[in-house]
């Protein structure tokens, strides 16, 4: 090898080495990260596609991932055509949170607009509010360019008819007449008001799921979001935990994010997502933060079922659950994993 050839070779190595090192570091880095509740892997993959783009933004990834689940009607509990209320109508809840600014956009009891996560993003982008609900949220969505259309399908209509023919069970009324355990409405207040019992065995995966998603970019910026069609046969107007900041999800850039799923009427009383992220800020690991956030809910409602996923700003992730048979499955994508992987954690 001549001196000139050696010099050229050395120059080539010097030019390629930084590129190679950058490629290796990218493959070995835990960031960016996408994590979401349940094995909704198509949603994870969609969010990961956005993050894999050169200019991919975490907030856009949350919208894309949750939107994928809405379009595919994940488990029938996300998006249109599922979980009809007492009147047979499907309504939607969603939330998105920017962990940089702590801005939140949420919609609850959204009617006749399919893209709930998109409307939630619009609330954050085009208003100074946090949560819009009901018919007014629909009017806002239409004004922002979203299409108004029925959210019912043949499946949801048959589901509602089956519920009516089955004496309206399950039923979430109490202290009313006629007895909601055996009769359909209309209902009137009962003269005997019973003290609420600490029981929550009404919710399982077939009855109610939410997709909750957390995305962390390479600069430890954290975004989170949720979308769901709520609980089957709910009382009209019911809004669950999904659009409630700190209950459905929470994000804090430089610290981490969390998203919850399960019996929203119970979980929103404890703000498990906010609790978990606060614990991360105090130095707890992701798994310990998830476990501690779930503990007070399980203590107060031993038969409750639900879970929380947690990710910190360094790319560590974990989950905790209670009352779910077979454990809780959740989906993750990172450069180290190389593809979407489903993890499972045993429940208390």
């Amino acid at each position: 090898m001549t001196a000139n050839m050696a010099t050229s070779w050395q120059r080539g190595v010097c030019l390629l080495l930084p590129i190679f090192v950058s490629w290796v570091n990218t493959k070995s880095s835990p960031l960016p990260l996408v994590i979401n509740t349940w094995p909704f892997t198509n949603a994870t993959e969609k969010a990961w596609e956005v993050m894999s783009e050169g200019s991919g933004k975490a907030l856009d990834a949350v919208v894309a991932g949750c939107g994928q689940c809405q379009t595919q009607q994940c488990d029938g509990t996300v998006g249109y055509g599922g979980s009809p209320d007492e009147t047979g109508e499907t309504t939607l809840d969603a939330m998105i949170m920017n962990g940089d600014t702590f801005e939140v956009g949420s919609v609850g009891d959204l009617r006749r607009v399919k893209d709930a996560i998109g409307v939630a993003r619009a609330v954050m982008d085009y208003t100074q509010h946090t949560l819009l609900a009901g018919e007014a949220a629909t009017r806002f969505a239409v004004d922002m360019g979203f299409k108004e259309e029925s959210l019912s399908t043949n499946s949801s209509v048959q589901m509602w008819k089956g519920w009516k023919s089955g004496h309206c069970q399950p039923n979430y009324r109490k202290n009313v007449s006629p007895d909601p355990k055996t009769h359909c409405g209309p209902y009137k207040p009962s003269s005997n008001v019973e003290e609420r019992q600490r029981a929550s065995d009404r919710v399982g995966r077939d009855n109610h799921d939410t997709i909750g998603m957390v995305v962390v970019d390479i600069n430890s910026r954290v975004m989170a979001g949720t979308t769901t069609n709520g609980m089957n046969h709910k009382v009209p107007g019911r809004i669950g935990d999904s659009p409630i900041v700190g209950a459905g999800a929470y994000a804090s850039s430089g610290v981490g994010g969390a998203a919850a799923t399960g019996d929203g009427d119970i979980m929103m009383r404890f703000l498990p997502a906010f609790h978990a992220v606060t614990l991360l800020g105090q130095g707890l690991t992701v798994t310990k933060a998830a476990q501690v956030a779930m503990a007070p809910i399980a203590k107060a409602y031993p038969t409750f079922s639900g879970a929380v996923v947690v990710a910190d700003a360094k790319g560590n992730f974990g989950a905790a659950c209670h009352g779910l048979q077979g454990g809780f499955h959740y989906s993750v994508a990172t450069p180290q994993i190389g593809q979407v992987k489903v993890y499972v954690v045993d429940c208390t």
Side-chain angles (χ1 to χ4, degrees):
M1 180 181 294
T2 66
N4 288 338
M5 290 176 62
T7 300
S8 297
W9 180 82
Q10 289 171 347
R11 287 175 179 172
V13 170
C14 289
L15 290 172
L16 291 174
L17 185 59
I19 298 174
F20 176 75
V21 171
S22 176
W23 179 83
V24 170
N25 287 340
T26 299
K27 292 297 182 180
S28 62
S29 172
L31 296 176
L33 175 146
V34 177
I35 182 172
N36 58 262
T37 56
W38 305 110
F40 298 151
T41 55
N42 287 344
T44 321
E45 290 173 356
K46 190 67 176 180
W48 184 249
E49 286 178 11
V50 174
M51 294 309 297
S52 298
E53 298 171 358
S55 59
K57 296 182 179 179
L59 204 62
D60 295 335
V62 171
V63 173
C66 289
Q68 184 75 7
C69 226
Q70 290 176 163
T71 300
Q72 295 187 339
Q73 301 167 284
C74 291
D75 271 8
T77 60
V78 178
Y80 69 100
S83 303
D85 65 16
E86 287 183 346
T87 67
E89 184 175 10
T90 294
T91 60
L92 308 176
D93 297 342
M95 184 199 83
I96 191 165
M97 182 170 186
N98 184 328
D100 284 349
T101 64
F102 299 100
E103 290 176 292
V104 174
S106 297
V107 287
D109 190 31
L110 179 68
R111 300 163 182 265
R112 302 184 305 283
V113 176
K114 289 183 177 180
D115 188 8
I117 190 68
V119 180
R121 174 76 180 269
V123 172
M124 184 171 67
D125 286 347
Y126 304 120
T127 81
Q128 298 182 40
H129 301 311
T130 295
L131 171 64
L132 299 181
E135 290 289 348
T138 301
R139 289 197 298 273
F140 167 81
V142 173
D143 289 344
M144 293 298 102
F146 292 87
K147 182 180 179 180
E148 185 172 4
E149 56 190 317
S150 173
L151 301 184
S152 296
T153 62
N154 290 337
S155 175
S156 67
V157 170
Q158 290 305 313
M159 190 184 305
W160 176 71
K161 288 181 177 179
W163 177 76
K164 291 286 287 186
S165 64
H167 307 290
C168 299
Q169 301 302 308
N171 195 300
Y172 305 109
R173 305 273 184 165
K174 66 170 187 174
N175 298 323
V176 294
S177 180
D179 186 351
K181 296 178 181 178
T182 54
H183 293 80
C184 296
Y187 302 102
K188 299 294 183 181
S190 173
S191 57
N192 297 320
V193 178
E194 300 177 359
E195 182 180 355
R196 182 176 177 87
Q197 296 179 349
R198 286 192 171 184
S200 177
D201 54 2
R202 60 205 184 126
V203 173
R205 180 169 179 183
D206 293 335
N207 186 12
H208 175 51
D209 288 344
T210 298
I211 181 170
M213 178 176 286
V214 176
V215 177
V216 186
D217 72 11
I218 59 174
N219 297 311
S220 296
R221 300 173 68 237
V222 186
M223 310 291 157
T226 66
T227 185
T228 183
N229 54 33
M231 189 177 289
N232 280 344
H233 318 304
K234 55 187 174 280
V235 176
R238 183 258 189 188
I239 295 174
D241 63 324
S242 295
I244 307 302
V245 60
Y250 196 78
S252 179
S253 292
V255 179
T261 183
D263 189 336
D265 291 300
I266 300 299
M267 298 185 81
M268 74 168 73
R269 302 169 191 173
F270 297 85
L271 300 179
F274 173 76
H275 191 184
V277 176
T278 299
L279 293 169
L280 289 179
Q282 296 173 357
L284 272 68
T285 66
V286 287
T287 299
K288 190 64 176 178
Q291 292 170 343
V292 173
M294 291 292 292
I297 314 177
K299 181 179 179 180
Y301 297 92
T303 60
F304 134 91
S305 62
V308 61
V309 294
V310 182
D312 67 20
K314 296 179 181 179
N316 299 302
F317 59 88
C321 58
H322 179 82
L324 295 169
Q325 293 184 356
F328 171 61
H329 295 71
Y330 62 100
S331 305
V332 182
T334 72
Q336 290 177 333
I337 295 172
Q339 59 183 353
V340 177
K341 183 176 179 179
V342 175
Y343 291 79
V344 61
V345 61
D346 293 331
C347 298
T348 58

